[in-house]
């Protein structure tokens, strides 16, 4: 390849990068574009997608719930899903975006485990709750969208609840057509939230300080802008956690749609679950940006269109096409699931067939507890295998520890008590063993692994004795013959 051709191509791709680095992907068609037009016109600030499997699946489920709500509303209005302009955009500007005609709602989904504290400060809402990022996107989109935070976290008393109340107050001002202003009663709260947004959003801070565009914005004007943001913000903080979604979502989100389709009373629970899985899977795929891409994503120039002239438009269109779910998409998923429910049935989990797992499950222990117990048992066995390979005293130490663990399990056993209580009591007893009384290099968790190993050897039980071998055989039979 000639040097001149390489230089020409280098300049060509440099111009492409320059185009893509600009904010505008598609120029608005009017001086005062709608929120829906701006959504396509303004480039997202990032494209991180889902960073963990748990977060990804939970967010996809919540987006699917919103999609089914839009579809339910469409059916109620008598509009054909194929003709509806309602749609959901995944991972564009926010975790997902609801588009209803010209109206747009940005939605941020934040899953928080039960062990994590509720949102107790406005600073936590701005940072961990994602409101600083949402404020930036809302501002870039010219304050046209409404906004919603969806979370499992819950809101603590004090400032977070006061922020929700303030949002309601500012919303009433907005809906009544009155100017959204900050009164003395809410000024301190709004200013605290303003400062938290600036702390956790570099783009907002640069804009307000005047380092990116124009001059600096006064503190009072910043507070009024935050009040306008609050006037379009809602916080849904009581969503089910990821552990509960698979059980509650079909009846809560899919069944009402089937009822409106007038098939809810005639379908089985299997079909309801299949419909939910079909729609949720549609969102899982789109949230990974794996929608169909015409021309297999190849540059438009190959098909006769000059790349440098069509690049901005093509990139914007392709981004939206890959991430968009229409009402017709949802309808097709529902119809397919109804006609072929087996194809969307969740994959059944393999039965836990170790003696330890079966005993703990029969005793009522949770899946998380059983998984931890299995890991502790393996760590315990590894510890003694390593010790016994070069230490002649290890075997006698192990026997001494096992006798102590059998005594603990005997003392904490009580007729009629569930295995969960036994498990908790044993852990408390093991935690209280002084470190100097443990074998060298062993901690409380490894000692608890000894209880698990004794359980697997049928020397410890999580409740009344039963035929564990028969129970394991029964589980295997159920796996091999699910019908």
């Amino acid at each position: 390849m000639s040097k001149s051709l390489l230089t020409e191509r280098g300049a060509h791709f440099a111009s492409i990068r320059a185009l893509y680095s600009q904010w505008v992907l598609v120029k608005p068609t009017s001086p005062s574009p709608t929120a829906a037009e701006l959504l396509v016109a303004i480039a997202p600030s990032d494209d991180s997608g889902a960073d963990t499997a748990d977060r990804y699946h939970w967010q996809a489920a919540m987006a699917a719930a919103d999609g089914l709500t839009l579809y339910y509303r469409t059916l109620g209005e008598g509009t054909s899903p194929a003709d509806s302009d309602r749609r959901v955009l995944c991972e564009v500007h926010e975790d997902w975006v609801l588009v209803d005609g010209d109206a747009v709602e940005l939605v941020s989904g934040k899953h928080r485990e039960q062990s994590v504290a509720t949102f107790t400060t406005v600073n936590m809402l701005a940072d961990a709750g994602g409101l600083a990022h949402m404020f930036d996107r809302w501002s870039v989109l010219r304050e046209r969208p409404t906004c919603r935070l969806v979370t499992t976290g819950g809101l603590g008393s004090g400032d977070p609840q006061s922020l929700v109340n303030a949002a309601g107050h500012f919303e009433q001002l907005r809906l009544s057509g009155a100017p959204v202003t900050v009164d003395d009663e809410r000024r301190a709260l709004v200013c605290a939230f303003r400062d938290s947004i600036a702390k956790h959003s570099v783009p907002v801070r640069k804009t307000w300080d005047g380092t990116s565009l124009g001059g600096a914005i006064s503190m009072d004007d910043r507070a009024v802008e935050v009040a306008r943001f609050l006037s379009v913000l809602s916080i849904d903080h009581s969503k089910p956690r990821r552990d509960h979604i698979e059980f509650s979502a079909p009846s809560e989100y899919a069944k009402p749609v089937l009822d409106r389709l007038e098939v809810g009373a005639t379908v089985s629970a299997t079909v309801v679950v299949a419909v939910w899985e079909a729609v949720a899977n549609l969102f899982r795929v789109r949230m990974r940006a794996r929608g169909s891409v015409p021309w297999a994503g190849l540059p438009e120039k190959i098909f006769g269109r000059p790349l440098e002239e069509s690049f901005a438009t093509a990139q914007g269109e392709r981004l939206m096409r890959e991430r968009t779910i229409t009402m017709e998409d949802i309808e097709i998923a529902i119809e397919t699931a109804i006609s072929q429910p087996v194809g969307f049935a969740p994959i059944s989990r393999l039965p836990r067939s170790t003696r330890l797992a079966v005993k703990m499950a029969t005793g009522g222990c949770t899946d998380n507890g059983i998984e931890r117990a299995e890991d502790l048992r393996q760590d315990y066995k590894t510890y003694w295998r390593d010790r016994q390979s070069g230490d002649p005293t290890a075997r006698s130490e192990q026997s001494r520890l096992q006798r102590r663990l059998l005594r603990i399990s005997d003392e904490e056993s009580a007729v009629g008590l569930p295995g969960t209580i036994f498990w908790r009591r044993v852990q408390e007893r093991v935690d209280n063993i002084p470190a100097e009384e443990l074998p060298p290099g062993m901690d409380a968790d490894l000692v608890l692994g000894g209880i698990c190993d004794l359980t697997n050897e049928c020397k410890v039980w999580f409740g009344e004795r039963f035929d564990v071998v028969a129970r394991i055989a029964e589980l295997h039979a159920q796996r091999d013959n699910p019908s």
Side-chain angles (χ1 to χ4, degrees):
M1 185 178 296
S2 68
K3 183 176 180 180
S4 61
L5 183 56
L6 284 173
T7 303
E8 179 183 348
R9 288 195 174 186
H12 175 67
F13 285 109
S15 66
I16 291 175
R17 288 192 294 271
L19 278 170
Y20 192 53
S21 66
Q22 297 175 359
W23 276 109
V24 178
L25 286 177
V26 183
K27 291 183 179 180
T29 57
S30 65
S32 181
T34 65
E37 289 174 329
L38 287 169
L39 192 67
V40 180
I42 305 298
S45 60
D46 53 51
D47 188 26
S48 58
D51 57 2
T52 67
D54 289 341
R55 171 183 177 270
Y56 158 64
H57 283 291
W58 181 84
Q59 285 184 342
M62 291 296 95
D66 277 354
L68 283 170
T69 299
L70 283 182
Y71 182 78
Y72 181 87
R73 193 182 307 162
T74 301
L75 293 177
E77 295 171 355
T79 304
S80 169
D83 298 330
S84 175
D85 58 359
R86 289 180 173 130
R87 57 198 183 277
V88 183
L89 273 64
C90 300
E91 300 288 358
V92 175
H93 290 291
E94 270 299 343
D95 295 319
W96 65 95
V97 180
L98 306 182
V99 182
D100 189 347
D102 291 334
V104 168
E105 182 180 41
L106 306 180
V107 187
S108 175
K110 300 297 180 185
H111 183 276
R112 289 168 71 81
E113 299 292 348
Q114 193 167 4
S115 59
V116 179
T118 59
F119 292 108
T120 55
T121 65
V122 294
N123 190 62
M124 288 178 65
L125 285 169
D127 183 16
L131 293 187
H133 180 274
M134 183 180 285
F135 178 91
D136 170 56
R137 295 293 86 204
W138 168 81
S139 180
V140 166
L141 293 168
R142 304 186 191 179
E143 302 186 7
R144 301 296 169 82
T146 56
C147 302
R148 177 160 49 100
L149 169 61
V150 172
T151 181
T152 60
L155 293 182
S157 58
D159 284 350
Q161 290 290 350
S162 297
L163 194 71
V164 172
N165 295 335
H169 167 76
F170 294 131
E171 181 187 28
Q172 290 180 357
L173 292 178
R174 176 177 61 85
L175 294 178
S176 68
V180 177
T181 57
V182 183
D183 54 22
D184 291 339
E185 179 183 350
R186 298 168 181 85
R187 184 173 303 279
L189 179 66
V190 170
C191 289
F193 189 42
R194 173 200 64 195
D195 295 343
S196 294
I197 290 173
K199 177 181 178 182
H200 296 293
S201 175
V202 173
V204 172
R205 187 165 64 249
K206 287 183 176 179
T207 299
W208 281 351
D209 292 343
T211 57
S212 59
L213 296 172
I217 300 173
S218 71
M219 288 295 182
D220 286 344
D221 287 343
R222 298 179 192 185
V224 172
E225 185 180 356
V226 169
R228 292 198 300 269
F229 172 68
L230 289 172
S231 76
V232 297
L233 174 68
S234 61
I235 300 179
D236 185 351
H237 55 87
S238 58
K239 289 297 185 182
R241 291 185 172 84
R242 58 185 175 84
D243 293 339
H244 304 145
I245 280 292
E246 63 177 297
F247 304 108
S248 63
S251 60
E252 188 170 350
Y253 304 121
K255 185 61 163 59
V257 169
L258 295 177
D259 289 340
R260 177 153 282 184
L261 288 169
E262 299 183 351
V263 297
T266 61
V267 299
S268 65
T270 301
V271 173
V272 176
V273 172
V275 167
W276 166 252
E277 285 295 324
V279 175
N281 190 58
L282 183 63
F283 279 82
R284 293 181 192 119
V285 172
R286 289 294 193 271
M287 292 189 92
R288 288 296 196 189
R290 289 175 183 155
S292 60
V293 180
W295 314 118
L298 293 171
E300 307 288 351
K301 186 176 180 181
I302 295 176
F303 301 96
R305 295 172 60 188
L307 183 59
E308 57 271 22
E309 296 178 5
S310 64
F311 181 81
T313 300
Q315 287 293 330
E317 291 176 351
R318 182 177 301 146
L319 176 67
M320 298 304 160
R321 188 165 53 237
E322 293 171 355
R323 308 280 180 93
T324 299
I325 297 174
T326 66
M327 296 301 99
E328 186 176 18
D329 291 334
I330 292 176
E331 182 173 63
I332 291 172
I334 291 173
E335 290 176 349
T336 305
I338 291 175
S339 63
Q340 303 176 34
V342 176
F344 295 94
I347 299 174
S348 59
R349 291 178 295 183
L350 292 175
R352 303 179 183 278
S353 56
T354 65
R355 290 185 290 271
L356 169 63
V358 170
K359 289 178 180 180
M360 292 185 69
T362 302
C365 295
T366 65
D367 285 351
N368 288 340
I370 296 172
E371 292 287 356
R372 176 170 172 250
E374 292 282 16
D375 285 344
L376 292 178
R377 181 173 75 91
Q378 292 301 325
D379 290 344
Y380 176 83
K381 291 172 68 67
T382 299
Y383 171 89
W384 287 114
R385 183 173 63 248
D386 293 343
R387 281 285 309 277
Q388 290 173 7
S389 64
D391 186 350
T393 67
R395 192 172 299 278
S396 61
E397 278 192 73
Q398 182 182 17
S399 297
R400 185 163 56 251
L401 177 62
Q402 287 180 340
R403 289 194 296 271
R404 183 168 187 172
L405 294 179
L406 286 171
R407 177 163 55 83
I408 289 175
S409 66
D410 180 34
E411 292 172 352
E412 297 301 334
S413 297
V415 176
L417 284 181
T420 51
I421 294 179
F422 171 76
W423 182 231
R424 176 174 55 80
R425 287 183 173 180
V426 167
Q427 291 186 69
E428 291 173 353
R429 288 287 300 275
V430 167
D431 287 341
N432 290 328
I433 298 177
E436 60 271 16
E437 297 181 14
L438 298 178
M442 181 169 280
D443 57 18
D445 280 342
L446 274 181
V447 176
L448 188 61
I451 292 286
C452 300
D453 191 49
L454 290 169
T455 302
N456 202 62
E457 293 179 2
C458 287
K459 296 178 180 178
V460 172
W461 295 79
F462 278 68
E464 294 293 322
R465 182 184 291 269
F466 62 95
D467 191 339
V468 66
V469 175
R471 178 56 181 157
I472 291 173
E474 180 183 339
L475 289 172
H476 286 165
Q478 290 175 358
R479 179 196 63 187
D480 297 336
N481 299 286
S483 59

